[in-house]
């Protein structure tokens, strides 16, 4: 036995947006035994599998066009206006679990669009939340995930900058500074969710207290990538895993202290499973 000392970060686990969506889904699953959900309810394969076993049916936008007279859950990432139009046409009852933070951001972007501002969104191409934001602008906003994608010389001299809710705060402000250095007048809207940006600081403190860190997250989670980067920068002995089977015993030495933490989409039960597995080594 390696006699590892293992703690789970009390600030990790689902954010309130994900808790709300999963509670809504489970209530309906308990009542009607199945429920359609547009896209993965959460970017965590283990949690998706648990809910699928209870009757959750994940569908994509193409499948949405084919079904009629059903309930469909909108997950925390939100959706563009086109999804709500399809629902009306197909007599679908949308169970809207869009996170209030995302809905507020959608509204702000819609207002900017109505005022004819030049909208730039720092976000991941094709990400569900970003598609929902882009939909508020009739697909006219510019989405970029790296400043190198923008030709700074040809940008309008006045722009309105937003961020996907789960991007890195440090990178967002770096981008903001570069744009200003190039003489662009930026109306800056830091729309990064505090559930993510506050974890940033807490995680730095947590990661520095242990010999090794296991960061538990689905590979599709945007904030998982950001928060893993925060841990790795603080503690180079940080390992990314998605499930207990990914643990390599060779990472540890006798008596190591191990901190377990995760993304806003990482279920608590999964981190508990990882802890149990470590205590068996
Ligand atoms: S990270 Fe923030 S914006 Fe995203 S679902 Fe959670 S609470 Fe909502």
């Amino acid at each position: 036995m390696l006699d590892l000392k293992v703690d789970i970060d009390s600030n990790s686990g689902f954010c309130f947006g994900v808790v709300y969506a999963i509670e809504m889904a489970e209530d309906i699953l308990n009542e009607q035994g199945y429920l359609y959900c547009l896209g993965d309810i959460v970017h965590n394969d283990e949690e998706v599998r648990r809910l699928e076993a209870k009757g959750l049916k994940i569908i994509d936008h193409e499948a949405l066009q084919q079904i009629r007279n059903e309930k469909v859950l909108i997950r925390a990432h939100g959706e563009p206006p086109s999804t709500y139009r399809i629902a009306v046409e197909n007599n679908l009852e949308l169970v809207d679990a869009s996170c209030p933070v995302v809905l507020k951001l959608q509204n702000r972007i819609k207002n900017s669009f109505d005022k004819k501002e030049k909208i730039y969104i720092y976000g991941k191409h094709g990400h569900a939340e970003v598609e929902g934001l882009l939909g508020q602008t009739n697909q006219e906003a510019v989405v970029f995930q790296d400043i190198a994608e923008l030709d700074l010389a040809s940008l309008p001299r006045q722009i309105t900058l937003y961020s996907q809710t789960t991007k890195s705060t440090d990178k967002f402000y770096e981008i903001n500074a570069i744009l200003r250095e190039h003489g662009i007048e930026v109306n800056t809207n830091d729309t990064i969710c505090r559930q993510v940006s506050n974890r940033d600081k807490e995680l730095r403190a947590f990661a520095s207290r242990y010999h090794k860190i296991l960061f538990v997250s689905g590979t599709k989670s945007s904030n998982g990538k950001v928060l893993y980067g925060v841990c790795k920068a603080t503690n180079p002995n940080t390992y990314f895993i998605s499930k207990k089977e990914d643990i390599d015993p060779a990472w540890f030495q006798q008596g190591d202290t191990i901190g377990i933490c995760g993304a806003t989409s990482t279920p608590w039960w999964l981190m508990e499973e990882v802890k149990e597995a470590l205590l068996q080594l």
Side-chain angles (χ1 to χ4, degrees):
M1 295 282 278
L2 287 174
D3 192 25
L4 303 173
K5 312 268 179 304
V6 188
D7 290 330
I8 301 176
D9 172 28
S10 60
N11 294 309
S12 286
F14 291 152
C15 60
F16 65 78
V18 172
V19 168
Y20 178 65
I22 290 179
E23 276 178 6
M24 253 189 184
E26 288 199 292
D27 283 352
I28 296 171
L29 287 170
N30 291 339
E31 248 172 53
Q32 74 171 29
Y34 76 95
L35 172 65
Y36 289 102
C37 175
L38 188 54
D40 283 349
I41 186 163
V42 58
H43 283 158
N44 188 284
D45 291 345
E46 308 305 306
E47 181 67 0
V48 168
R49 269 195 278 278
R50 185 185 75 81
L51 291 164
E52 280 177 338
K54 295 184 95 177
L56 192 73
K57 297 170 193 280
I58 308 285
I59 56 168
D60 59 16
H61 286 85
E62 218 179 295
L64 183 78
Q65 312 249 22
Q66 312 307 324
I67 56 172
R68 305 279 183 281
N69 315 319
E70 292 281 1
K71 271 189 187 139
V72 179
L73 183 93
I74 302 293
R75 60 191 169 168
H77 288 320
E79 282 293 320
S82 54
T83 299
Y84 294 84
R85 281 198 293 273
I86 293 167
V88 172
E89 285 162 20
N90 288 5
N91 195 32
L92 300 171
E93 182 187 335
L94 293 183
V95 181
D96 199 343
S98 301
C99 175
V101 178
V102 175
L103 286 178
K104 192 169 163 203
L105 172 55
Q106 288 186 349
N107 264 331
R108 287 176 70 175
I109 291 185
K110 169 91 175 59
N111 284 337
S112 286
F113 180 67
D114 290 344
K115 287 192 222 148
K116 305 199 181 333
E117 294 171 15
K118 306 279 179 220
I119 303 167
Y120 285 70
I121 302 171
Y122 172 45
K124 187 175 172 205
H125 295 292
H127 188 284
E129 180 192 316
V130 174
E131 291 301 310
L133 302 178
L134 204 47
Q136 310 304 318
T137 71
N138 200 22
Q139 313 299 315
E140 288 178 26
V142 175
V143 173
F144 66 100
Q145 55 193 42
D146 192 315
I147 186 88
E149 291 172 32
L150 303 178
D151 175 10
L152 296 175
S154 66
L155 243 54
R157 292 299 90 188
Q158 209 176 32
I159 68 166
T160 299
L161 179 66
Y162 286 100
S163 173
Q164 181 183 343
T165 57
T166 47
K167 298 304 274 181
S168 149
T169 311
D170 288 351
K171 291 230 172 75
F172 178 76
Y173 281 103
E174 263 170 41
I175 286 166
N176 187 53
I178 295 170
L179 290 167
R180 285 165 191 256
E181 275 161 22
H182 281 77
I184 297 161
E185 198 183 307
V186 190
N187 169 11
T188 308
N189 297 275
D190 173 355
T191 47
I192 294 157
C193 174
R194 296 303 151 215
Q195 293 272 314
V196 178
S197 59
N198 289 343
R199 278 191 192 196
D200 219 296
K201 292 168 220 126
E202 291 156 357
L203 267 186
R204 272 181 237 276
F206 179 80
S208 63
R209 288 205 297 272
Y210 297 88
H211 292 127
K212 315 269 159 71
I213 294 292
L214 287 192
F215 190 88
V216 188
S217 169
T219 50
K220 287 184 252 171
S221 165
S222 286
N223 79 85
K225 285 191 191 83
V226 172
L227 297 176
Y228 165 70
V230 167
C231 288
K232 187 82 177 167
T234 309
N235 184 337
N237 294 317
T238 296
Y239 300 95
F240 185 102
I241 62 168
S242 294
K243 53 190 180 312
K244 62 180 183 197
E245 289 76 11
D246 297 341
I247 296 170
D248 181 350
W251 293 336
F252 311 110
Q253 283 164 354
Q254 188 74 28
D256 269 352
T257 56
I258 317 287
I260 298 172
C261 46
T264 58
S265 50
T266 304
W268 192 263
W269 64 261
L270 189 59
M271 292 186 287
E272 293 271 16
E273 267 192 15
V274 169
K275 178 176 178 180
E276 284 311 308
L278 288 175
L279 294 175
Q280 303 302 318
L281 293 178

